[in-house]
Amino acid sequence: ALLDFLVAMSRVPLGQTAVLKVPSAFVTISATRGALLNNSQVRKRCSLLLHNLCFCAEAKAHILASDDAMRAIIGDLDAASSAHVAASAHCRAHAANSLWSLVYNNQ
């Protein structure tokens, strides 16, 4: 339920900045994703949360500087077919969009 709330918050700019103010937010998101990697719903929500945060201008530098966040995004992009093929496809799509968002307008 908390992950659903964070995903809903991250859909609007004010919610994105609120999530950014949480200390070690990216570490927590990545740790949750890593610990529950076989849970397709948690994995999809974590990738969507990172995806939404990548579209926040203030978050881009934080995400690029966070090894945990980048490892989670690259891990979703790299994910081979798993037991949850549909979730894996969604996570790969979120990861690809996240990377495009991070490099857009950056020099």
Side-chain angles (χ1 to χ4, degrees):
L2 180 61
L3 206 50
D4 289 330
F5 175 71
L6 290 174
V7 169
M9 273 184 56
S10 70
R11 289 185 178 142
V12 295
L14 187 60
Q16 292 169 344
T17 55
V19 172
L20 282 178
K21 291 179 182 178
V22 174
S24 65
F26 299 122
V27 174
T28 306
I29 295 166
S30 301
T32 303
R33 178 197 165 275
L36 301 168
L37 199 55
N38 290 331
N39 185 329
S40 63
Q41 293 303 314
V42 170
R43 187 171 166 211
K44 273 173 54 175
R45 285 178 179 89
C46 287
S47 69
L48 183 57
L49 180 56
L50 286 171
H51 167 267
N52 290 347
L53 291 174
C54 285
F55 285 90
C56 177
E58 296 128 8
K60 287 184 179 187
H62 295 288
I63 292 171
L64 288 169
S66 170
D67 288 338
D68 295 311
M70 291 306 297
R71 204 172 296 122
I73 292 170
I74 301 287
D76 280 338
L77 192 61
D78 246 1
S81 63
S82 67
H84 308 284
V85 176
S88 184
H90 284 301
C91 292
R92 281 196 304 272
H94 291 152
N97 284 336
S98 298
L99 289 176
W100 278 112
S101 173
L102 288 173
V103 298
Y104 181 73
N105 267 350
N106 287 347
Q107 299 178 6

